[in-house]
Amino acid sequence: QSALTQPASVSGSPGQSITISCTGTSSDVGAYNYVSWYQQHPGKAPKLMIYAVSNRPSGVSTRFSGSKSGNTASLTISGLQAEDEADYYCMTYTSSNTWVFGGGTNLTVL
Amino acid sequence: QVQLQESGPGLVRPSETLSLTCTVSGGSISNYYWSWIRQPPGKGLEWIGYVYYSGSTSYNPSLRSRVSISVDTSKNQFSLELSSVTAADTAVYYCARYYCTSTSCSALDYWGQGTLVTASS
């Protein structure tokens, strides 16, 4: 199975909004509402930020939001803060009863 | 609060079998799906597979011929075995729990801290 496609890097200034895309196929992202997003700081385990496309776990800032259109899911972070600087990964279920991650996106807060 | 802890050798010789265990505390392993994920140094996350508490499994097609995940409900643990390792299997290995509702599972909500396994002679 192929990894979902994410931009290698994105950047933004404090207070701005950024969007990270996650593109798959009609057999994974497009087929199920099971896209999730993870934040990973260096040397740390990933942290769940969004599940089932657009739902936030308890304790996750409302500045984080998710959406999906067709075979592409998106993570939007509004009001960028320095602490948001991290790697972000999407993940989804596939029609083969497996799960697949995106390649990851490094977010830089300028 | 659910906690997961990976354990096992940090060094495995090429061609041998990598074996890791994930111990779950603060909650039962029953009625959940559990997963192994790995991350080579400086690279992205790779899904290895999952096990349901009943023992059913699913694996990444690229690893299917070499991987086995099992569960021991009496010890609240699940385990990973990866055979015939090479340097390409050097990675931080994470265990994690799936977040599930009554109808579906959609994410990994609890993660272990990860353990580095190096495949080298």
Side-chain angles (χ1 to χ4, degrees):
Chain A
Q1 60 189 18
S2 299
L4 306 174
T5 300
Q6 297 182 231
S9 62
V10 298
S11 63
S13 299
Q16 288 185 333
S17 295
I18 63 95
T19 296
I20 300 171
S21 61
C22 170
T23 301
T25 69
S26 57
S27 296
D28 41 60
V29 174
Y32 307 97
N33 289 324
Y34 295 155
V35 177
S36 53
W37 289 91
Y38 303 85
Q39 176 191 67
Q40 186 181 35
H41 287 111
K44 300 295 186 181
K47 174 187 176 183
L48 177 63
M49 306 302 285
I50 296 287
Y51 67 93
V53 176
S54 59
N55 296 275
R56 274 185 311 276
S58 175
V60 172
S61 171
T62 57
R63 299 185 298 105
F64 291 82
S65 62
S67 63
K68 191 186 85 167
S69 177
N71 297 336
T72 298
S74 299
L75 172 71
T76 297
I77 308 173
S78 59
L80 268 180
Q81 298 180 1
E83 67 205 49
D84 300 332
E85 186 162 293
D87 293 327
Y88 291 85
Y89 295 90
C90 59
M91 183 184 80
T92 193
Y93 181 70
T94 82
S95 60
S96 300
N97 188 33
T98 61
W99 296 77
V100 62
F101 282 99
T105 298
N106 179 255
L107 169 62
T108 300
V109 180
L110 302 170
Chain B
Q1 178 80 343
V2 175
Q3 293 185 316
L4 289 76
Q5 179 67 58
E6 304 90 351
S7 60
L11 179 65
V12 181
R13 304 211 179 278
S15 80
E16 295 188 345
T17 296
L18 178 160
S19 296
L20 295 175
T21 296
C22 183
T23 300
V24 179
S25 59
S28 175
I29 204 167
S30 296
N31 301 310
Y32 284 97
Y33 288 84
W34 305 88
S35 185
W36 285 98
I37 303 97
R38 70 180 183 179
Q39 185 171 36
K43 296 187 178 181
L45 300 171
E46 179 181 31
W47 181 80
I48 298 172
Y50 75 65
V51 63
Y52 191 43
Y53 81 101
S54 64
S56 61
T57 56
S58 176
Y59 302 126
N60 187 320
S62 69
L63 300 171
R64 188 168 289 148
S65 63
R66 300 193 292 131
V67 69
S68 176
I69 300 175
S70 59
V71 63
D72 187 337
T73 55
S74 67
K75 295 182 179 179
N76 236 33
Q77 295 176 334
F78 62 105
S79 299
L80 168 70
E81 288 196 339
L82 183 65
S83 64
S84 305
V85 302
T86 69
D89 295 310
T90 293
V92 174
Y93 285 76
Y94 295 99
C95 58
R97 190 189 81 170
Y98 278 93
Y99 170 76
C100 300
T101 64
S102 58
T103 56
S104 63
C105 299
S106 60
L108 297 165
D109 60 352
Y110 287 97
W111 293 66
Q113 64 185 23
T115 186
L116 175 63
V117 179
T118 301
S120 174
S121 54

